Amino acid sequence: MVTEDSDTENKYKRADAAETSSERRAPVGRRRFLQAAGAGTAVALAGCSGGGGDGGPVTLGAAYILSGFASLYGEEAERGIEFAVSEINDNGGIDGRDVEVLVRDTEASGDTAIQQIRSLVQEDNVDGLFGLDSSGVAQAVAPQISQLQMPFMITHAATPFVTSPQGEHEDSVGNEYVFRDSNSLAQDVYGAARTAQELDATEWATIGPDYAFGYETWDYFQAYCDGLGVEAEFTAEQFPALATSDYTPFISSILDADPDAVLTPLWGADLTTFIGQAESAGWFDQIDHTLFSVGMGTDLPSDGSPLPEGEYASTRYDPFVPDTEANNSFREAYYEEYGSLPTYNAEGAYRALHLYKEAIESAGSTEPDALVDEFTGMEHSGPVGEYQFTETNQATVSSIWGTVTYDEEWESNVLDPVNRYEAGPDVLSDALGDSDLPTGI
Amino acid sequence: MSLTSLVPLIGIADVVIGLSLGSRLFLIAVGLSLIFGVLGVLNFAHGGFYMLGAYVTLAVVSNVVDNFWVAAVVGALAVGVVGAAIEFSAIRRLYDRVDSDLDQLIVTFGFVLVIHETVRFVWGSGSYSIDPPDVFNFSVTLGGSTFNAYRLVVIGLAVGVLAALWLFITRTYFGSLVRGTSSDREMAAMLGVDVPRLYTGVFFLGSVLAGLGGALSAPLQSTSPALGDQVIIDAFIVVVIGGLGSMSGAFVGAMLIGMMQSLGPQFISAGSIAIPFLAMVIVLLIRPEGLFGGIGE
Amino acid sequence: MSATDTGGRVSRFGSAVAEGWTRERLGLLGAVALVLVAFAPPFQVYLFTDFLVVALFALGFNLLYGYTGLLSFGHGLFYAGGAYGIAIVLRDLTPVVADVVGAGIAPLVTFALGGVVGLALVVALAVPVGWLSVRLEEIYFALITLAFGMLGYSLIIQDPAGLTNGTDGVIVLLGTVDLGGFSLRIGGRRIYYAISAVTVVAAVYGVWRVVNSPFGTVCKAIRESPDRAAALGIDVSHHRWMTFIVSAAVVGIAGVLRAGLASVASPGLTHWSTSAIAVIATVIGGATYFYGPIVGAFIFLYIRWAISRFPALEAYWELFFGALLIAVVLFFKQGAVGGLLLLRDRLFGDGDADDAGSGGGGARDDGGQATAATDDGAESGDDNARADRGDNS
């Protein structure tokens, strides 16, 4: 069966990949949401128009991938934004002012992202920025942010180099204006290595996208395994281009190398394509363990949840852990609104808005430097738990890994059992051992 | 980046995968080659046709009738109609121009953009997948490696199409018209051949083949608006190497590139995408007419 | 040049300006407009700089296409060459240069050095690529240039010798010049605009000189009929090769500027879809006119920007340009410039008294853009070297 969104009025039928033969899901209808355009390239969510000024609404700018292989991420972020905006505006706004968010499409390209961000700052006069999905884009954008002198809260892009101060490593581009409220690749892959410790796999391989994120995942994994003393041999690696439509040759190559386990940071539609094709090739029968390091991002919206049960996946935010009031009520309300569990991209975006609210209210102004001061070292809590920003502007969100299980009640994949690994600066630098890779925290 | 494994093993699956990749490439390349051989038009939009074939097939399967084969035929024919319409309305005006080649290339490139955006408009920018038809949707394991049985069907169909085309071109009246016209358009017209209708017919046929390629590939790869652009470059490489205008050249070239794509990641994970382009450059320099140059050979 | 000579020239210039819509007047207006743009809002300055860079890219491309009849789908290779050249120099050689000339002026020197290196790299590439490519004609030329462009793309992605950083590209940080308390951010919108404007104007002037020289005439002769040209004793291949190199160099300069503007040199620059931008801009503007690519670039960028103000349409700008491309090729090969000239003729009767040059007449590029405070007739010298093509309009 072809899986697709059957809402014919929505010009952009958001399509997700097929269900796998082993899991049949009833597609849950999606709420169409406030997309002024079919594309959602410039969308003003829940606010009146006009730039932020005293008395007028607070305007924030967001940049996400809204088209192409990872468009689902942008969509999820937009949901989180919409949810937060109505929550905030319904409860008195920010210091009495409504908040509105302009969302732009980065198209997963650094060039485009920089242009859009410049336009947001210089044409739309936003009071603050947040977003970004792609690590490559984040690395290109970070230096520009310090030139624009505007705070930027990264909510998803995971490369540790954007929260590693310039000079720490030759690739570091961190600066005082760039923050991240979600966990980084360094934290995430630490969890992968801890998971690997528990497994009896000795030969490891990877298949990841051909850009910073793919390589960094593998580099960090190898470094952590070394530092933690995990017995592992790294026997094969493949890095197909982003938006590859046929992974079969790469899959075949890995299978020929016959590793015990594979770590894969493939994401977005690429992941769903890969899984379907891997199943056809008998991957999950042959390979003992597959670790999906960003698996839960596209998995939860129930239109297709293809992560196979029994494999391992990580998430930057889990709807069930920690079992706090904040998390539970967020999950319930979100599910009621959208019919699916909140993904980490939605939660990261949601929390960015709350972070801005708190910063603006504490500072009593929307001056960029005042906001930067507020964010620096800020302690905050949200559905993801309690955390604070370290001196490199990285949030101390834990690394969450678990086993993929289908949950009847929520009609979706969840991680169960799930482990949260505290991944603070000391833990990470110990685990990295001799490596010169930065902890990014 | 390093070598993936020190002892590369070519499993049977790799060969089957390579041949099935080649089969899909063949279907789009042979149409491209045919159109160029007869009309002298290098149709940049051929990748878009392939993509459109996949999308229409998916749409038919999900909305009209849950039979893959019917949907594939509908997809192929629909694309044929689109192609014929493009030829009739746009390309036809360019035949008499002095520098028709380049103008045609640019116009067809304009259609690349139009088709891409139309597809995005109708189906969104996400990607779709579809399972192979149930009767073939099982895994075959030979010699330790596994592949989906449907791939064999695709290979078989490609061979069948090649045979059918060959018969068509060499044994039928229409085929002889095609052969005759491609070598000398004015002469053919003087001999009473309705050249414009013939051209539209050939364009239709070439487009149908591309659409068929897309339709048959839908179960094996994900379909997204990026597909057209990805595939047209491969198609160009194939027809250059095989020979613009040659059917058997398209077949051999396609299989060659297909195998390269299948085995590339095994042997040289780095640089495997550069090789087809290098081959293209070399062939263009040494033997621009390709390995098999000429039509109907 | 004696003082009286200069004085004489100035007064001749002045009277030419006063006389009516002459080249000199338009040139002066153009220069004034360029200066005025520097005071526009930052985003508009950025957009205009973008336009200048793309215009140069298209102009370089058209040297080969409009003037010599060779359609290249791989010119992005040289665009990327210039961009990566300067990006890598800035990334790796800034400390070295700083040691030599002192940290204050280093960014500017490195920038200039990077530009030179980028240009040199491009020329070095163009020599073999051009020599090989011009052996082929028409479609085959398009195919081989496409292949070279994509070959470049696939090689850059491999991150050879750790230079190009693969898919993510090389980040470009322009730095700040510190001279005795006075500091200048090279990447600042207006500074960079000034740098780009000067460079582009100079380059356009250079191309104009080339086109109006015997060299340019030979190009047109070859385009009209290679056989006849050969019969006249012209070494067609050699000449095409030379044109290729010049064309690539111009595009390389645009690439250097692109790196600073986009703040990143990415492999996408040499992808065929980027090469296609030059094709689109040129064809829409009118490949048979010197200013065609410039007008086309203007249309490409400003209509895109205008469309982006309407979210519902913005997603489909490609559709618009695809349709426009088709329409132009089918019905109106003279493109926008041709259209403007027709309009001018209709509105003003015959051409102006001051026509000089090969039948093109002083081009009054009104542009019809009342809203945008830009002027694309800004380049010095206004002759549309109208190169007639043999086909129907």
Side-chain angles (χ1 to χ4, degrees):
Chain A
M1 267 313 158
V2 177
T3 320
E4 52 158 348
D5 182 344
S6 57
D7 181 354
T8 49
E9 286 190 355
N10 188 346
K11 287 181 184 177
Y12 267 85
K13 296 181 189 175
R14 293 290 170 199
D16 298 283
E19 315 152 318
T20 60
S21 44
S22 52
E23 327 269 2
R24 298 229 142 226
R25 304 267 178 276
V28 176
R30 271 221 212 139
R31 229 53 90 76
R32 197 185 341 157
F33 63 89
L34 298 169
Q35 293 206 350
T41 15
V43 178
L45 291 172
C48 17
S49 57
D54 278 58
V58 171
T59 316
L60 296 174
Y64 286 99
I65 298 180
L66 297 174
S67 59
F69 78 101
S71 54
L72 201 49
Y73 274 85
E75 263 190 42
E76 284 296 303
E78 282 181 313
R79 282 182 172 181
I81 292 172
E82 187 189 45
F83 192 77
V85 164
S86 34
E87 198 180 78
I88 291 175
N89 287 346
D90 286 345
N91 289 304
I94 298 181
D95 254 349
R97 295 159 64 180
D98 268 358
V99 65
E100 79 168 349
V101 180
L102 302 173
V103 185
R104 295 287 170 84
D105 187 1
T106 63
E107 297 173 3
S109 143
D111 225 320
T112 313
I114 291 175
Q115 237 186 320
Q116 295 286 14
I117 287 169
R118 276 218 188 96
S119 165
L120 282 169
V121 172
Q122 291 167 343
E123 281 193 299
D124 298 295
N125 298 308
V126 296
D127 298 310
L129 298 162
F130 64 97
L132 292 189
D133 295 298
S134 156
S135 288
V137 169
Q139 276 177 290
V141 164
Q144 298 306 307
I145 297 300
S146 74
Q147 289 192 347
L148 287 170
Q149 299 184 313
M150 183 66 73
F152 199 110
M153 182 67 64
I154 296 179
T155 63
H156 170 207
T159 170
F161 294 105
V162 295
T163 48
S164 162
Q166 242 177 320
E168 188 182 358
H169 184 274
E170 60 176 352
D171 292 331
S172 299
V173 285
N175 59 68
E176 55 175 331
Y177 289 93
V178 174
F179 299 82
R180 174 164 40 211
D181 75 1
S182 52
N183 71 12
S184 73
L185 180 154
Q187 293 160 301
D188 188 28
V189 177
Y190 169 73
R194 289 288 301 274
T195 308
Q197 245 178 348
E198 312 295 319
L199 301 174
D200 58 1
T202 39
E203 285 181 21
W204 284 83
T206 187
I207 176 167
D210 178 26
Y211 77 114
F213 186 61
Y215 304 127
E216 286 169 16
T217 303
W218 195 229
D219 289 340
Y220 272 87
F221 185 68
Q222 293 180 70
Y224 281 128
C225 285
D226 196 46
L228 290 173
V230 177
E231 254 187 54
E233 251 179 77
F234 306 101
T235 57
E237 52 189 52
Q238 288 292 345
F239 297 100
L242 283 169
T244 295
S245 57
D246 194 345
Y247 286 94
T248 339
F250 305 97
I251 291 172
S252 210
S253 170
I254 301 266
L255 290 178
D256 284 346
D258 199 19
D260 300 319
V262 174
L263 171 68
T264 174
L266 287 173
W267 61 294
D270 285 356
L271 180 59
T272 6
T273 309
F274 164 77
I275 291 178
Q277 292 167 352
E279 279 204 353
S280 279
W283 175 289
F284 298 105
D285 298 320
Q286 183 182 332
I287 300 207
D288 297 337
H289 308 287
T290 310
L291 273 61
F292 297 96
S293 77
V294 275
M296 300 306 277
T298 34
D299 204 72
L300 297 188
S302 335
D303 291 19
S305 3
L307 283 186
E309 283 193 275
E311 304 296 347
Y312 296 90
S314 86
T315 179
R316 307 193 191 288
Y317 155 76
D318 190 292
F320 299 96
V321 172
D323 185 12
T324 60
E325 164 70 36
N327 198 12
N328 293 332
S329 58
F330 174 70
R331 179 189 69 236
E332 304 281 339
Y334 188 95
Y335 191 85
E336 203 186 292
E337 176 72 21
Y338 296 109
S340 67
L341 289 168
T343 59
Y344 59 79
N345 220 25
E347 195 269 348
Y350 165 89
R351 211 158 18 91
L353 274 151
H354 280 280
L355 280 164
Y356 267 103
K357 170 175 153 74
E358 197 169 301
I360 293 174
E361 286 177 350
S362 295
S365 98
T366 54
E367 278 305 308
D369 288 320
L371 295 181
V372 168
D373 277 338
E374 289 297 325
F375 285 137
T376 311
M378 187 195 249
E379 285 175 11
H380 191 253
S381 76
V384 78
E386 289 180 4
Y387 61 98
Q388 69 171 113
F389 288 99
T390 64
E391 58 183 15
T392 62
N393 298 341
Q394 168 65 46
T396 55
V397 174
S398 6
S399 175
I400 308 171
W401 277 84
T403 311
V404 178
T405 321
Y406 183 65
D407 186 311
E408 292 290 346
E409 190 198 333
W410 298 93
E411 291 181 318
S412 151
N413 271 339
V414 298
L415 295 179
D416 181 21
V418 63
N419 293 306
R420 287 179 82 206
Y421 301 103
E422 291 306 319
D426 300 322
V427 174
L428 292 187
S429 48
D430 276 343
L432 278 175
D434 299 324
S435 166
D436 67 346
L437 292 170
T439 57
I441 187 167
Chain B
M1 297 182 117
S2 55
L3 291 176
T4 57
S5 59
L6 295 175
V7 184
L9 301 161
I10 305 181
I12 298 192
D14 299 322
V15 173
V16 170
I17 289 168
L19 292 178
S20 67
L21 285 172
S23 300
R24 284 140 56 183
L25 281 177
F26 165 68
L27 287 169
I28 177 181
V30 74
L32 188 63
S33 211
L34 195 61
I35 292 175
F36 185 82
V38 179
L39 282 73
V41 175
L42 186 63
N43 182 23
F44 221 124
H46 225 62
F49 289 170
Y50 176 92
M51 173 173 73
L52 207 51
Y55 270 102
V56 172
T57 306
L58 290 171
V60 169
V61 164
S62 55
N63 294 321
V64 179
V65 53
D66 189 13
N67 181 317
F68 175 75
W69 302 108
V70 171
V73 169
V74 171
L77 289 175
V79 173
V81 169
V82 169
I86 289 178
E87 191 275 341
F88 187 81
S89 59
I91 302 182
R92 185 174 282 211
R93 298 171 198 266
L94 300 173
Y95 295 133
D96 291 319
R97 294 215 189 156
V98 170
D99 49 355
S100 54
D101 283 14
L102 299 182
D103 281 357
Q104 286 156 354
L105 193 60
I106 296 177
V107 163
T108 56
F109 179 73
F111 278 107
V112 169
L113 301 175
V114 170
I115 292 177
H116 181 263
E117 289 299 281
T118 308
V119 161
R120 217 157 71 99
F121 176 82
V122 175
W123 285 289
S125 63
S127 61
Y128 288 84
S129 297
I130 184 178
D131 283 337
D134 290 330
V135 62
F136 295 113
N137 189 16
F138 57 91
S139 293
V140 174
T141 311
L142 281 179
S145 46
T146 313
F147 57 89
N148 191 301
Y150 177 69
R151 291 187 181 271
L152 296 172
V153 175
V154 172
I155 298 173
L157 282 171
V159 173
V161 166
L162 177 65
L165 275 178
W166 186 79
L167 284 173
F168 177 76
I169 296 287
T170 52
R171 297 289 163 84
T172 68
Y173 177 63
F174 187 79
S176 65
L177 286 182
V178 165
R179 272 180 294 139
T181 315
S182 69
S183 32
D184 194 325
R185 185 165 164 243
E186 276 117 27
M187 181 65 81
M190 284 196 276
L191 289 174
V193 176
D194 186 346
V195 174
R197 271 237 299 244
L198 181 69
Y199 275 16
T200 311
V202 170
F203 208 95
F204 173 80
L205 179 60
S207 311
V208 164
L209 289 167
L212 185 64
L216 293 177
S217 308
L220 291 174
Q221 72 193 24
S222 76
T223 305
S224 72
L227 191 58
D229 291 349
Q230 286 171 354
V231 111
I232 188 61
I233 297 297
D234 287 340
F236 279 169
I237 297 175
V238 168
V239 299
V240 162
I241 292 180
L244 279 164
S246 161
M247 288 185 303
S248 37
F251 189 82
V252 172
M255 292 305 161
L256 216 59
I257 299 294
M259 288 303 292
M260 263 196 246
Q261 286 180 347
S262 170
L263 299 176
Q266 301 237 46
F267 290 85
I268 343 155
S269 63
S272 53
I273 26 169
I275 298 195
F277 294 115
L278 196 55
M280 187 175 172
V281 169
I282 292 175
V283 169
L284 278 170
L285 289 174
I286 298 180
R287 201 185 147 88
E289 68 272 20
L291 295 175
F292 289 77
I295 188 167
E297 282 143 70
Chain C
M1 209 60 75
S2 72
T4 45
D5 266 4
T6 323
R9 286 169 130 240
V10 171
S11 70
R12 275 202 302 275
F13 185 88
S15 54
V17 171
E19 222 175 291
W21 288 106
T22 60
R23 284 164 57 170
E24 286 75 9
R25 177 186 278 201
L26 286 167
L28 192 62
L29 278 179
V32 169
L34 276 182
V35 171
L36 282 179
V37 169
F39 297 100
F43 189 75
Q44 290 303 324
V45 175
Y46 172 81
L47 193 59
F48 194 78
T49 316
D50 197 358
F51 150 65
L52 288 177
V53 173
V54 175
L56 193 62
F57 180 32
L59 194 72
F61 160 83
N62 200 36
L63 193 57
L64 214 48
Y65 176 55
Y67 285 94
T68 323
L70 294 170
L71 173 63
S72 160
F73 252 101
H75 255 47
L77 182 64
F78 308 112
Y79 203 42
Y84 272 94
I86 191 173
I88 292 175
V89 165
L90 280 171
R91 182 188 63 189
D92 295 337
L93 291 183
T94 309
V96 173
V97 172
D99 285 340
V100 173
V101 297
I105 191 124
L108 196 58
V109 173
T110 324
F111 180 80
L113 180 64
V116 169
V117 168
L119 189 56
L121 177 64
V122 164
V123 171
L125 264 177
V127 167
V129 170
W131 189 82
L132 290 172
S133 303
V134 298
R135 325 251 120 230
L136 303 173
E137 296 203 8
E138 305 251 349
I139 293 288
Y140 295 96
F141 179 83
L143 283 171
I144 198 174
T145 48
L146 178 68
F148 273 122
M150 291 306 292
L151 193 56
Y153 179 80
S154 33
L155 289 175
I156 289 180
I157 290 194
Q158 301 313 319
D159 196 10
L163 279 175
T164 61
N165 197 31
T167 330
D168 297 314
V170 178
I171 299 176
V172 174
L173 295 169
L174 292 172
T176 310
V177 174
D178 281 311
L179 282 177
F182 170 66
S183 90
L184 249 177
R185 202 162 62 84
I186 303 184
R189 287 298 110 238
R190 305 180 202 283
I191 306 286
Y192 201 75
Y193 165 67
I195 297 174
S196 306
V198 167
T199 312
V200 170
V201 169
V204 171
Y205 180 67
V207 176
W208 188 78
R209 289 297 297 262
V210 166
V211 158
N212 285 318
S213 70
F215 184 90
T217 319
V218 175
C219 285
K220 288 179 239 167
I222 292 177
R223 191 200 64 216
E224 291 308 312
S225 168
D227 298 323
R228 220 178 291 154
L232 288 172
I234 295 172
D235 185 345
V236 172
S237 273
H238 182 86
H239 196 86
R240 282 179 172 157
W241 183 31
M242 290 298 117
T243 314
F244 191 98
I245 297 174
V246 174
S247 162
V250 173
V251 170
I253 296 174
V256 166
L257 293 174
R258 166 60 63 195
L261 189 66
S263 309
V264 60
S266 59
L269 291 174
T270 178
H271 195 264
W272 62 266
S273 52
T274 306
S275 303
I277 292 179
V279 179
I280 296 174
T282 303
V283 171
I284 289 181
T288 53
Y289 297 97
F290 179 79
Y291 290 113
I294 297 174
V295 172
F298 185 86
I299 292 176
F300 185 71
L301 279 172
Y302 280 90
I303 292 200
R304 269 194 76 171
W305 175 73
I307 291 179
S308 76
R309 303 285 95 202
F310 301 98
L313 299 179
E314 214 254 324
Y316 304 107
W317 66 268
E318 255 187 52
L319 183 65
F320 177 77
F321 279 100
L324 196 57
L325 198 61
I326 295 168
V328 166
V329 173
L330 288 181
F331 304 117
F332 203 66
K333 277 253 359 227
Q334 295 100 324
V337 173
L340 290 173
L341 288 179
L342 268 181
L343 191 67
R344 184 208 63 184
D345 285 343
R346 248 179 236 168
L347 289 178
F348 297 101
D350 295 349
D352 304 310
D354 229 306
D355 282 348
S358 33
R364 205 149 77 79
D365 280 341
D366 304 312
Q369 316 104 1
T371 47
T374 56
D375 188 330
D376 53 319
E379 286 67 32
S380 63
D382 259 31
D383 266 18
N384 274 324
R386 185 186 176 151
D388 284 315
R389 309 198 70 171
D391 51 352
N392 57 320
S393 4

